[in-house]
Amino acid sequence: QVQLVESGGGLVQAGGSLSLSCAASGIIFNFKAMGWYRQAPGKQREMVADITSSGRTYYSNYVKGRFTISRDNAKKTVYLQMNSLKPEDTAVYYCKLEAAGMDYWGKGTLVTVSS
């Protein structure tokens, strides 16, 4: 059973930084990608950043240049460094892992950016 646990959310002022972590546990077969999604109140969940098994990264246009995704394979952990945060970045951030045709989700961590 694959489980994902996010950490690092919190309250920050606009212009500040936060770092999120997502640790995966369990046996993972045919790993494809790991990434971050977010869902703001009243909005659909959207992709923020993704990193593939080969290390290729993808970013939403809303966060490109401000957020950086990285991965530690040995720790089965993915990170999201968020800089120059804006109030519109306020959302619950979810970690997602794609492996063997399955999508696994964490429970989410709340990021609140005050103006």
Side-chain angles (χ1 to χ4, degrees), residues 1-110:
Q1 181 86 14
V2 176
Q3 290 187 325
L4 303 174
V5 178
E6 302 102 334
S7 61
L11 174 64
V12 65
Q13 287 189 332
S17 298
L18 275 177
S19 181
L20 305 183
S21 299
C22 172
S25 62
I27 300 174
I28 301 170
F29 294 101
N30 297 326
F31 170 75
K32 181 180 179 182
M34 206 163 173
W36 291 93
Y37 287 66
R38 69 185 181 186
Q39 188 166 17
K43 295 189 177 181
Q44 288 190 330
R45 192 172 296 188
E46 62 179 9
M47 191 275 284
V48 175
D50 200 61
I51 184 165
T52 69
S53 57
S54 64
R56 190 165 184 174
T57 56
Y58 298 88
Y59 295 94
S60 159
N61 286 334
Y62 297 110
V63 308
K64 198 173 294 183
R66 299 188 296 122
F67 292 10
T68 303
I69 190 170
S70 60
R71 187 180 71 219
D72 185 328
N73 291 331
K75 294 182 179 179
K76 292 193 289 186
T77 299
V78 67
Y79 305 95
L80 185 68
Q81 177 63 40
M82 305 185 292
N83 299 327
S84 303
L85 282 160
K86 304 175 181 180
E88 50 264 43
D89 294 318
T90 295
V92 177
Y93 283 70
Y94 297 91
C95 178
K96 176 186 171 184
L97 185 149
E98 300 172 60
M102 298 281 291
D103 290 342
Y104 300 92
W105 292 91
K107 292 183 179 180
T109 184
L110 177 63

